[in-house]
Amino acid sequence: MNNGEVLQFPPDFLWGTATSPTQVEGHIENEWTHFTAQDGGHCRIACDHYHRYPEDIGWMSKLGVNAYRFGIEWSRLQSAPFAPLNQNELARYVDLLDRLKARGITPMVVLHHFSNPPWINAAGGWTNAAAIPAFVDFVRQLVATLKDRVSLWNTFNEPDTYACLAHVLGGFPPQQKWQIGKFRRVIGHMARAHAQASRVIRREGIFDGRKPEVGIAKNWTFFHAYKPYSPWDRAMAFACHYTFNKFVLDAFLGGWRRRASTFIGLNYYGRVRFHHFQAMIPASGAPVKTLKDFGFVCDDMVERYPEGLVKILSYLNRKFKLPVYITEHGAASDDEQFRARDLQENLAALHHAMSDGVDVRGFFYWSLLDNFEWQFGYTKKFGLLAVDFSDDKLPRTMKPLAEVYAKICRNNIIRKQGR
Ligand code: FCB
């Protein structure tokens, strides 16, 4: 490896950060409102981005990002199926978009990120096909209002994670376990909703001749056996790969369904290896010492596997030939040097894939802020900015990684380094 080699990104490359409404906004009424996380935390105030978005956009300018991926919270906008959108809440999102524009920051809007209006949940959530027309109606109304401000639309964030944690592993509300039938049904309904919403966005979202772009964000995790000759661990790895990667990708992008997307959003964090049926990652409770003894490099969630990014990008490119956005990548850790190395290695992998011909248009660091990390609460710190949750004013401060990322965004290059 050539130390210090400069790797240049294309001039129009999007460098962004990402958040989701439930994790940062606060003051939300959805299935997470009364959920208590493992650390006792809740999302009722979160980072108070709901009120502080002007300040947070100021931070984005300091970072020098030119893009922001964020969600529009469905539960704020519709109080009943097919109801008109709440104009006050809509005005707030419009203001957010206008402020981004004033700073030269391109928005990517996420329409579903692990949360639903209460009336959707009361009717069985996405296990009920009635969610499809309701969602499409929400999207149609939103697009009519925002088409002049938004051209990058991300319908569903990680449908695989959502359906798995809600109905198989029980980490997300409604905390059901091993309901594989429901998992498959949710994926099927979301895939249909994506196709229908995409048609609406592409037909009704054109503005001034500018065609909108639409895609989902697929979380891709590699599942491997720690010992390649262990038949049971291999079987587990295969079952996970089949269910969470292959089945989901086919549902959204297989055959004619590919036409429902103009891009693929890829959320990439790393891999999970199995040893004696145990997922060897911190997020599943594997002891840090064991992971160290095995020589695994992990953040506070999963094993890092930057070379996997080259593999998955070339696979997606071969299979679907669609442009890609890295809609999420990030590391949770208190060790900022580790995080900087992780970023550097993953961006080098990304650049490698791009030099091999994969059309990657942007990269969104997860996340702008330390935030409410779902079932884990506030213990997993993914932020470029720290938030002091013990202080009512929730002050933000730049972490060392933010300086590293700011340099990358400003210069549009990274320097390749050896380990
Ligand atoms: C992704 C989610 C995001 C956040 C990161 C760490 O799976 O989309 O909300 O939880 O992981």
Side-chain angles (χ1 to χ4, degrees):
M1 191 180 272
N2 198 352
N3 275 6
E5 186 193 339
V6 171
L7 304 179
Q8 177 85 47
F9 285 78
D12 51 356
F13 196 73
L14 292 185
W15 289 107
T17 65
T19 63
S20 85
T22 305
Q23 293 178 278
V24 298
E25 286 185 354
H27 321 281
I28 278 181
E29 195 55 50
N30 64 28
E31 65 267 60
W32 291 94
T33 311
H34 302 289
F35 179 91
T36 305
Q38 287 164 15
D39 66 346
H42 61 73
C43 65
R44 295 196 279 280
I45 298 176
C47 307
D48 197 23
H49 185 67
Y50 183 72
H51 294 113
R52 287 160 207 238
Y53 64 91
E55 177 195 339
D56 290 336
I57 292 171
W59 286 110
M60 288 179 217
S61 279
K62 286 205 183 92
L63 285 170
V65 294
N66 59 11
Y68 179 41
R69 174 178 179 262
F70 69 99
I72 291 190
E73 174 68 15
W74 186 9
S75 63
R76 288 194 193 289
L77 294 178
Q78 273 188 318
S79 55
F82 309 103
L85 301 187
N86 178 315
Q87 292 302 307
N88 289 339
E89 297 294 351
L90 195 55
R92 188 190 145 275
Y93 284 118
V94 167
D95 182 52
L96 190 158
L97 286 163
D98 288 345
R99 285 171 191 265
L100 289 174
K101 187 168 185 206
R103 305 265 187 160
I105 299 174
T106 301
M108 177 185 277
V109 166
V110 183
L111 297 165
H112 186 278
H113 196 134
F114 302 168
S115 67
N116 302 294
W119 46 270
I120 285 280
N121 295 318
W126 283 88
T127 62
N128 185 342
I132 303 170
F135 179 76
V136 175
D137 171 69
F138 161 62
V139 175
R140 175 171 285 118
Q141 295 193 55
L142 202 58
V143 167
T145 315
L146 300 184
K147 64 179 177 198
D148 55 337
R149 293 172 169 89
V150 180
S151 66
L152 281 174
W153 298 92
N154 194 173
T155 52
F156 288 93
N157 175 72
E158 299 191 2
D160 41 337
T161 308
Y162 170 75
C164 170
L165 281 151
H167 301 292
V168 181
L169 296 179
F172 289 7
Q175 297 187 283
Q176 296 177 343
K177 288 198 174 170
W178 304 112
Q179 308 267 323
I180 302 287
K182 284 192 181 170
F183 168 86
R184 295 174 71 97
R185 208 172 330 137
V186 167
I187 294 297
H189 290 159
M190 285 184 159
R192 276 163 58 192
H194 168 69
Q196 292 180 26
S198 166
R199 220 170 295 137
V200 168
I201 293 168
R202 287 202 272 172
R203 217 182 275 150
E204 299 168 27
I206 301 169
F207 179 75
D208 222 1
R210 182 186 66 187
K211 284 191 183 157
E213 296 178 44
V214 193
I216 61 157
K218 169 78 184 84
N219 166 56
W220 188 275
T221 301
F222 284 91
F223 297 99
H224 292 159
Y226 174 60
K227 291 186 176 157
Y229 47 83
S230 155
W232 297 115
D233 289 340
R234 280 182 72 141
M236 267 194 88
F238 178 77
C240 288
H241 169 73
Y242 186 85
T243 312
F244 305 125
N245 289 334
K246 187 174 181 323
F247 170 72
V248 177
L249 219 49
D250 283 352
F252 282 88
L253 286 147
W256 62 269
R257 295 188 180 91
R258 179 191 166 282
R259 291 202 300 272
S261 298
T262 67
F263 71 85
I264 297 178
L266 174 66
N267 291 3
Y268 183 72
Y269 289 89
R271 92 172 144 178
V272 175
R273 282 194 274 179
F274 291 98
H275 182 52
H276 296 156
F277 298 112
Q278 239 236 313
M280 301 298 284
I281 52 167
S284 298
V288 173
K289 169 143 186 353
T290 318
L291 296 173
K292 272 217 175 105
D293 292 348
F294 276 66
F296 291 179
V297 179
C298 299
D299 72 340
D300 294 345
M301 298 290 275
V302 294
E303 186 185 352
R304 314 315 282 181
Y305 186 45
E307 53 276 41
L309 187 53
V310 184
K311 291 185 195 166
I312 180 58
L313 282 171
S314 40
Y315 172 75
L316 293 174
N317 191 42
R318 267 197 322 273
K319 200 160 158 75
F320 302 112
K321 296 190 177 48
L322 284 169
V324 176
Y325 291 90
I326 306 296
T327 32
E328 287 181 25
H329 173 80
S333 171
D334 290 330
D335 180 346
E336 289 290 286
Q337 275 181 6
F338 162 78
R339 294 178 81 210
R341 213 164 48 234
D342 174 81
L343 176 61
Q344 152 74 36
E345 288 174 358
N346 279 278
L347 289 179
L350 173 62
H351 193 275
H352 178 155
M354 291 169 73
S355 328
D356 285 351
V358 186
D359 180 7
V360 184
R361 308 254 169 110
F363 175 91
F364 294 82
Y365 193 83
W366 183 272
S367 177
L368 174 67
L369 302 164
D370 282 344
N371 61 44
F372 175 74
E373 179 53 36
W374 311 112
Q375 73 272 40
F376 301 107
Y378 294 91
T379 53
K380 311 285 184 190
K381 300 195 181 300
F382 280 97
L384 292 165
L385 300 172
V387 178
D388 183 353
F389 292 102
S390 67
D391 181 332
D392 285 349
K393 297 202 181 76
L394 299 168
R396 282 87 157 120
T397 43
M398 298 260 270
K399 297 190 203 177
L401 184 68
E403 312 282 354
V404 173
Y405 193 52
K407 234 176 166 179
I408 294 170
C409 297
R410 292 235 158 75
N411 299 333
N412 203 24
I413 58 165
I414 57 161
R415 274 174 207 284
K416 199 167 172 179
Q417 280 151 10
R419 272 203 164 199

